[in-house]
């Protein structure tokens, strides 16, 4: 099988790495790729959002399957163009991709399908006065001069790389954030849910779906789940407290109704659908959809899949998921993201990375995100989240130790990472 992977993040490095382990791979390219994928595949230095160029490159290389990693090309309809040109594609078309590219659309679908989620209101550009009145009304519920009794969640409806969300109990902050978004996009305002989060991925085609082991992302920048939202500072897989009873309830109340609704509405989908779930005292509630594998969850999930990844991707892309059986390792995986100084705010790029020597460590992986090399061959950073170090072990505490040993080997000016990935799960929520 000749495969093309679209993307340049740590997620795509992990996907390319997993494809490279397949017994069926005869050709593998990544567009545009990074320095990590360079050792596994042919990197194609092209714009992944240039649909005409991507289709031409796939045709020129005789690609059998295209695996689209990031949400941007999916929202632009790259999967539609590739399928129209005769290629098997892992990833939904633009209409189904609206489940991620428009939080307003996704929230409407959840209500139509009877999926439990946070209470919400939506505001479009031009409705600034209505939004302001809503926020003013929310904060007037608190006693005058006292700290507000609750928090509120403000979300940019469109794509925002995991950072278009504000959780706040401050009126002025809520107004400023929402009014800024309304200059160009819709705003979704939600009730603040309390509990713990997990990520569930389900492979799907038009005939059915197959849920995968749950992961837990760590979205906040600082230890103890404090600070601003990021694209994700680390992830674990599986989740110790996600027992059989909980997962059956998630399947029954959230996942199955979503796919039933999608089939009823003709929302064609071949790929993976991400369910961001908050487990509250009242039960699981849906926070958001992603229409692709998550980052950093993918880096912890894929190393645990023992089935041939080419078989998995091909079955989904060809609409033959029914009957597919996946085999998983009994081990645990912990992934730690190493970030650039200043992230998730402004950060420098092209920071020189020291040689990463893992030769004396076992059961660890380091995935690159948007890295490159200069004329002298030095490894350089290219984004805010630069690497993901993953540790594997029979139980999570040991996997955590391995991951942090590997993370400490990744050195560049100002490199930092959260010190507590997974700790709340093995210490108890």
């Amino acid at each position: 099988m000749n495969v093309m992977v679209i993307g340049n993040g740590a997620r795509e490095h992990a996907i390319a790495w997993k494809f490279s382990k397949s017994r069926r791979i005869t050709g593998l390219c990544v567009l545009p790729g990074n320095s990590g994928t360079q050792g596994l595949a042919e990197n194609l230095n092209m714009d992944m959002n240039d649909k005409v160029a991507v289709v031409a490159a796939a045709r020129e290389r005789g690609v059998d399957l295209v695996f689209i990693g990031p949400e941007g090309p999916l929202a632009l309809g790259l999967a539609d163009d590739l399928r129209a040109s005769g290629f098997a594609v892992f990833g939904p078309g633009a209409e189904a991709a609206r489940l991620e590219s428009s939080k307003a659309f996704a929230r409407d679908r959840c209500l139509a399908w009877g999926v439990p989620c946070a209470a919400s209101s939506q505001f479009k550009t031009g409705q600034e006065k209505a939004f302001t009145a809503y926020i003013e009304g929310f904060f007037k519920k608190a006693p005058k001069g006292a700290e507000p009794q609750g928090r509120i969640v403000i979300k940019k409806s469109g794509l925002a790389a995991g950072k278009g969300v504000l959780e706040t109990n401050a009126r002025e902050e809520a107004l400023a954030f929402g009014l800024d978004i309304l200059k160009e996009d819709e705003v979704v305002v939600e009730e603040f849910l309390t509990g713990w989060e997990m990520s569930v991925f389900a492979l799907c085609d038009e005939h059915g779906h197959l849920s995968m082991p749950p992961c837990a992302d760590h979205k906040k920048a600082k230890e103890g789940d404090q600070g601003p939202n990021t694209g994700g500072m680390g992830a674990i897989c599986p989740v110790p407290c996600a027992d059989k009873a909980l997962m059956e309830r998630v399947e029954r109340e959230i996942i199955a109704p979503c796919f039933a609704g999608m089939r009823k509405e003709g929302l064609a989908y071949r790929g993976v659908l991400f369910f961001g779930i908050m487990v509250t005292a009242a039960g699981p509630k849906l926070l958001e959809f992603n229409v692709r594998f998550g980052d950093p969850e993918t880096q912890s999930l894929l190393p645990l899949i023992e089935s041939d990844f080419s078989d998995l991707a091909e079955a989904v892309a060809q609409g033959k998921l029914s009957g597919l059986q996946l085999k998983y390792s009994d081990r645990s995986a912990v992934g730690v993201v190493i970030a650039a100084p200043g992230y998730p705010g402004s950060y420098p790029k092209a920071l020189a990375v020291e040689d990463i020597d893992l030769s004396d460590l076992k059961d660890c992986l380091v995935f690159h995100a948007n890295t490159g090399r200069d004329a002298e061959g030095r490894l350089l950073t290219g984004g805010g989240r630069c690497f993901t170090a993953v540790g594997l072990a029979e139980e999570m505490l040991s996997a955590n130790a391995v991951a942090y040993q590997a993370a400490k080997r990744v050195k560049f000016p100002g490199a930092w990472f959260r010190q507590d990935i997974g700790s709340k799960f093995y210490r108890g929520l």
Side-chain angles (χ1 to χ4, degrees):
M1 180 185 292
N2 190 355
V3 174
M4 173 183 284
V5 176
I6 305 295
N8 63 356
R11 167 184 50 221
E12 288 74 39
H13 186 183
I15 291 167
W17 167 80
K18 197 63 179 177
F19 270 121
S20 75
K21 302 294 183 183
S22 171
R23 57 184 171 78
R24 300 181 56 200
I25 289 294
T26 56
L28 181 62
C29 61
V30 187
L31 189 161
N34 58 45
S35 288
T37 61
Q38 185 66 61
L40 304 170
E42 177 191 9
N43 281 354
L44 304 179
N45 187 20
M46 302 170 62
D47 181 359
M48 60 184 164
N49 294 314
D50 185 338
K51 296 187 289 182
V52 173
V54 172
V55 171
R59 184 178 294 115
E60 179 182 341
R61 284 162 177 77
V63 167
D64 299 304
L65 181 145
V66 181
F67 194 113
I68 304 175
E71 63 273 25
L74 291 169
L76 289 173
L78 177 59
D80 296 312
D81 285 26
L82 285 162
R83 288 194 178 99
S85 298
F87 295 100
V89 183
F90 187 106
E95 179 63 20
R98 291 180 68 201
L99 289 171
E100 178 171 1
S101 64
S102 172
K103 291 182 178 65
F105 173 80
R107 189 59 66 205
D108 288 343
R109 305 280 37 83
C110 286
L111 294 174
W113 301 335
V115 176
C117 54
S120 66
S121 296
Q122 301 171 18
F123 302 90
K124 297 180 179 180
T125 299
Q127 295 182 314
E128 289 79 5
K129 288 185 179 180
F131 169 76
T132 299
Y134 185 96
I135 297 300
E136 296 281 5
F138 175 84
F139 286 102
K140 282 180 181 177
K141 295 176 184 177
K144 187 175 181 180
E147 186 75 9
Q149 300 301 298
R151 297 174 71 81
I152 196 167
V153 182
I154 316 292
K155 294 183 176 181
K156 176 182 169 66
S157 179
L159 298 178
K163 292 178 284 185
V165 178
L166 173 70
E167 300 168 358
T168 184
N169 59 6
R171 169 185 168 278
E172 292 302 325
E173 186 178 33
L175 282 172
F177 188 79
L179 290 172
D180 187 59
I181 292 172
L182 283 171
K183 294 175 183 177
E184 59 179 26
D185 199 354
E186 292 182 71
V187 165
V188 177
V189 183
E190 295 181 350
E191 68 171 320
F192 179 79
L193 297 176
T194 58
W196 58 273
E197 291 187 47
M198 67 175 175
S199 307
V200 181
F201 300 92
L203 302 170
C204 55
D205 61 18
E206 59 267 40
H207 308 296
H209 70 275
L210 182 62
S211 298
M212 306 179 81
C215 304
D217 185 11
H218 295 61
K219 291 186 174 66
K220 298 292 187 176
K222 298 180 180 180
E223 280 76 17
D225 294 330
Q226 301 297 310
N229 274 336
T230 72
M233 295 306 301
I236 65 168
C237 184
V239 182
C241 47
D243 58 19
K244 181 179 179 181
L246 173 60
M247 295 312 298
E248 287 177 347
R249 187 171 179 182
V250 168
E251 180 72 30
R252 182 176 64 252
E253 298 180 9
I254 296 177
I255 297 177
C258 284
F259 284 120
M262 290 167 65
R263 287 193 295 273
K264 184 177 180 180
E265 296 184 12
L267 207 57
Y269 203 121
R270 291 184 182 181
V272 63
L273 186 59
F274 161 101
F275 298 83
I277 294 169
M278 178 71 79
V279 182
T280 73
K285 294 190 177 184
L286 183 70
L287 293 174
E288 63 177 350
F289 294 110
N290 287 166
V291 296
R292 35 72 189 184
F293 278 113
D295 184 342
E297 296 99 326
T298 302
Q299 295 90 291
S300 294
L301 172 62
L302 295 196
L304 300 180
I305 298 176
E306 295 185 341
S307 304
D308 192 302
F309 198 65
S310 292
D311 292 341
L312 177 159
E314 182 181 55
V316 172
Q318 294 184 350
K320 298 178 180 179
L321 180 60
S322 179
L324 180 70
Q325 298 293 323
L326 292 184
K327 183 178 180 182
Y328 299 97
S329 168
D330 291 330
R331 297 201 292 175
S332 293
V334 174
V336 177
V337 169
I338 300 95
Y343 178 81
S346 59
Y347 53 83
K349 297 182 180 181
L351 298 170
V353 184
E354 296 181 20
D355 290 340
I356 303 172
D357 183 6
L358 306 175
S359 59
D360 60 327
L361 297 181
K362 295 182 179 180
D363 298 319
C364 67
L365 300 157
V366 172
F367 296 114
H368 294 222
N370 199 24
T371 54
R373 293 191 181 272
D374 63 13
E376 288 73 42
R378 294 183 305 167
L379 181 62
L380 303 176
T381 65
R385 294 184 299 160
C386 306
F387 298 88
T388 305
V390 179
L392 303 164
E394 295 304 313
E395 50 88 30
M396 196 173 71
L397 189 57
S398 297
N400 178 280
V402 174
Y404 276 103
Q405 287 182 63
K408 292 173 183 176
R409 305 286 180 92
V410 181
K411 299 178 181 180
F412 55 87
W416 68 276
F417 48 82
R418 271 183 58 167
Q419 303 283 347
D420 65 343
I421 301 301
S423 63
K424 63 184 178 183
F425 292 98
Y426 58 75
R427 292 174 181 168
L429 291 166

